[in-house]
Amino acid sequence: MVHSRYAPDRGLQARMGLTMFLLGLVFVAFIAILVAVLTAFKAASGSGIIVIAVLVGAAVAFGSFFYSDKIALATAGAQLVEPTDGPDAARIHGVVDRLCALADMPKPRIAISPQPMPNAFATGRNADKAVLCVTTGIMRQLDDRELEGVIAHEMSHVAHRDVAVMTIASFIGIIAALLVRFGFYSELFGGGRGGRGNNNNAPFVVVALAMMVIGAVTYAVSFLLIRLLSRYRELAADRSGALLTGQPSALASALTKVSGAMAQIPTQDLRKAEPLNAFYFAPALKPDHTSLSTLFSTHPSLERRLQQLSDISAQLGR
């Protein structure tokens, strides 16, 4: 964790470590099964596909890690601002300055996205490269206390190095997804070589299908593990932000306002913002209350977050 006055979260650290360990086991099993299949069918070409998938996956993960700030800002259509760039810029800089002094953290770069959707996110590979982005919508919806609670939540993600952990954790899923795609196109465009009914082509088809199935299963497992960690890290950021400011009720109020205002935004606009769901303070599209939807969600339910903040408020009041 970055040196700061944010309360250390042993539960988050333990879950990060456990998730990385489980993903490591999944990766080892993934490669071992693929190698066994390739060996059984003496399919040397499949080894080349695996190497390509690993290299491409590494390149994607590398780009996500080092350029997450630029990618996120471009996706949100946000622009970096200085305190002199208008009243909104001066206001958000003032809030961030207070929190940086309180948390003893380097000040992140600040950006504003001209979106009516009320939301915020922070990203960057470390505290020195971090960027904090707020939308014009959230600036209009929240007062300074509530905005401070949201920013404290987002800066907690930076303090706990969430971006680095989530990027590394996503590496296995990226490789698995690539192998599914490579296996599909290999079977589609290579499976017919030599004509139908050519038995010499059977091993090629089997290997391609095996890569698709193994890759799909590996992707599904890694996806669920990452989503589980993502939901917990949002609760951890709520908790750390509320303890830092000492005002959990302000963060709870912000959550309630943002969730209510989000319901007024056209669904089409929310779907455009969905690629940044994992980064956002609140999800652009709220899941229904089915267990399957909750399992796939990047964020815990609003009720769960408000209950935790209520518990913190009660503890601080004792």
Side-chain angles (χ1 to χ4, degrees), residues 32 35 41 74 94 104 140 144 162 185 187 218 232 242 292 308-309:
V35 170
F41 289 92
D104 189 24
R140 302 288 181 268
D144 283 356
D162 283 12
Y185 286 118
E187 199 279 331
T218 303
Y232 187 85
L292 187 61
Q308 177 183 247
L309 291 171

Side-chain angles (χ1 to χ4, degrees), residues 7-213:
D9 194 314
R10 304 305 179 195
L12 178 61
Q13 293 172 6
R15 282 166 173 79
M16 283 180 171
L18 179 60
T19 300
M20 298 301 289
F21 174 73
L22 292 175
L23 286 171
L25 288 181
V26 170
F27 184 69
V28 170
F30 172 53
I31 295 298
I33 294 172
L34 280 176
V35 170
V37 171
L38 294 175
T39 302
F41 289 92
K42 298 181 174 60
S45 60
S47 300
I49 293 176
I50 294 175
V51 171
I52 292 172
V54 171
L55 292 176
V56 173
V60 172
F62 180 88
S64 298
F65 181 66
F66 282 95
Y67 300 105
S68 62
D69 52 343
K70 294 179 177 62
I71 295 170
L73 291 181
T75 303
Q79 294 292 327
L80 294 172
V81 296
E82 298 297 332
T84 55
D85 290 337
D88 280 349
R91 182 187 176 202
I92 189 63
H93 270 275
V95 171
V96 173
D97 284 339
R98 292 195 299 273
L99 282 172
C100 286
L102 183 63
D104 189 24
M105 284 180 63
K107 183 178 180 180
R109 291 166 295 154
I110 298 174
I112 295 179
S113 172
Q115 294 184 21
M117 179 188 69
N119 231 316
F121 66 84
T123 186
R125 63 183 183 272
N126 55 45
D128 293 326
K129 300 294 183 180
V131 61
L132 170 73
C133 178
V134 295
T135 65
T136 54
I138 204 169
M139 297 283 287
R140 302 288 181 268
Q141 289 286 336
L142 305 184
D143 62 30
D144 283 356
R145 288 176 64 256
E146 293 163 341
L147 188 60
E148 187 175 81
V150 172
I151 302 308
H153 165 106
E154 293 303 329
M155 288 177 60
S156 172
H157 286 311
V158 176
H160 290 106
R161 297 180 177 176
D162 283 12
V163 171
V165 172
M166 297 303 285
T167 300
I168 295 170
S170 299
F171 174 63
I172 297 171
I174 293 170
I175 295 175
L178 286 170
L179 275 177
V180 172
R181 182 161 295 187
F182 289 167
F184 173 76
Y185 286 118
S186 295
E187 199 279 331
L188 183 64
F189 296 111
R193 284 182 296 186
R196 292 185 181 181
N198 186 347
N199 291 331
N200 292 331
N201 198 47
F204 182 91
V205 175
V206 172
V207 169
L209 290 174
M211 283 196 297
M212 291 172 60
V213 172

